[in-house]
Amino acid sequence: SGVIPGYALGSLSNLEYLYLDSNNLVGPLPANLAQAGKSKIKELWVQSNALSGTVPATYERFDKLTDFFIDDNRLTGALTPNLCGPEINADFFNLIPDDAEEKNYCDHIACPAGSVGAEGVYPCSSCVGGDAAKLQNPYLGLRGACLHLTQRDALITLYEATSGNRSWTGDGDWDEFAAAFSGEGWTGGNDSVDESKMICALSGVSCDGHRNVIGISLRNRNLEGSIPWEIGLGLPFLEVLDLSDNYLTGYLPSDLRWTALTKLDISGNQIRG
């Protein structure tokens, strides 16, 4: 876990193979990993972490690169075209004719925002909704299925991710909410009005006049676990988040950048980042 020590690794002039996949890494892809005159990396695997930010333009210096995997992270933006080419991750294009119009060499590094791939790379399928779909699917290299998170999804995930081995203190309405809406528990049909009323009535939750969640205050409620990334994409109107004086651990998810946060209090926990 932690961040990638870009300068230290980039200073290794004979480094050719770097495998950092599935290591709970956070923070950006460091630009100084690709230092002038020292960029000999042939294979760079950083997939399946929680890296954020963009792919540095300095990675064009990796002129010997043949394998480059960045899917299943929190990376945004677009890949610089000079980084994409037929020599990188070439196996993904073995079955495509050389003259195929659909060939996009950047897709075999990572599917673009607003699209998804079984492995996060070619072949990529666009998410339904066009540009609007990019708001809920803003990351490069999304795997599996397109995301469509609702307020209910985000709040239930928050509850389940922070229940741990302890029971939340205070009002038990969150227990009832999770039981009613989790999985097959909800038997009230698709009445979004009733759902939003129940959400806005939850202890510690405040909503605006349109029943958008704008505040969550769960100070000293015995929360244990880590803050789930889903609240970043599922609660875009969130302005206040107070989770202070609990038993939370892990890293602060970079996905909170997609909210409207003006106040964040996570003091009294063991959260890093």
Side-chain angles (χ1 to χ4, degrees):
S1 62
V3 299
I4 299 175
Y7 182 78
L9 291 173
S11 299
L12 302 175
S13 58
N14 292 319
L15 181 65
E16 296 183 349
Y17 304 95
L18 184 57
Y19 305 120
L20 301 174
D21 51 303
S22 304
N23 271 296
N24 295 316
L25 296 172
V26 298
L29 278 172
N32 55 7
L33 181 62
Q35 298 178 24
K38 300 180 180 179
S39 305
K40 296 182 180 180
I41 290 181
K42 297 178 180 179
E43 296 187 10
L44 177 56
W45 295 17
V46 294
Q47 73 270 27
S48 300
N49 285 293
L51 299 170
S52 56
T54 60
V55 178
T58 57
Y59 284 17
E60 293 180 15
R61 292 172 177 163
F62 292 137
D63 54 4
K64 295 179 173 59
L65 197 63
T66 58
D67 284 11
F68 184 35
F69 299 109
I70 62 172
D71 51 281
D72 195 25
N73 277 289
R74 299 286 183 265
L75 298 169
T76 56
L79 294 167
T80 174
N82 291 337
L83 183 58
C84 309
E87 69 283 353
I88 299 180
N89 302 347
D91 291 348
F92 291 107
F93 282 94
N94 283 344
L95 300 179
I96 303 176
D98 291 337
D99 58 352
E101 294 182 1
E102 72 217 45
K103 184 178 294 187
N104 182 331
Y105 289 118
C106 289
D107 284 359
H108 64 158
I109 296 177
C111 292
S115 66
V116 65
E119 299 295 331
V121 294
Y122 181 89
C124 307
S125 301
S126 296
C127 299
V128 177
D131 289 340
K134 293 182 180 180
L135 297 176
Q136 287 236 325
N137 299 272
Y139 301 125
L140 300 176
L142 182 64
R143 289 183 182 179
C146 295
L147 299 173
H148 181 64
L149 294 171
T150 64
Q151 294 189 135
R152 177 189 68 189
D153 298 327
L155 293 175
I156 289 177
T157 303
L158 173 62
Y159 176 77
E160 293 177 343
T162 58
S163 292
N165 295 318
R166 305 172 186 268
S167 297
W168 281 24
T169 57
D171 198 318
D173 54 348
W174 282 79
D175 296 309
E176 298 173 6
F177 170 70
F181 289 102
S182 293
E184 301 300 323
W186 171 232
T187 58
N190 295 314
D191 190 343
S192 60
V193 175
D194 286 347
E195 179 182 317
S196 62
K197 283 182 179 179
M198 192 172 186
I199 287 173
C200 295
L202 287 171
S203 59
V205 172
S206 56
C207 296
D208 62 18
H210 299 284
R211 296 198 177 109
N212 298 308
V213 174
I214 59 173
I216 298 176
S217 181
L218 297 171
R219 179 179 178 274
N220 196 24
R221 292 284 298 270
N222 221 32
L223 278 62
E224 179 185 23
S226 57
I227 302 174
W229 62 265
E230 285 87 347
I231 65 175
L233 293 176
L235 301 173
F237 296 93
L238 186 66
E239 299 175 3
V240 176
L241 180 60
D242 184 355
L243 301 176
S244 59
D245 298 327
N246 285 291
Y247 299 91
L248 299 174
T249 57
Y251 287 93
L252 187 68
S254 64
D255 312 82
L256 291 176
R257 71 185 119 161
W258 307 115
T259 68
L261 273 181
T262 59
K263 178 182 178 181
L264 173 65
D265 191 348
I266 55 173
S267 60
N269 289 285
Q270 299 181 47
I271 296 172
R272 296 175 288 174

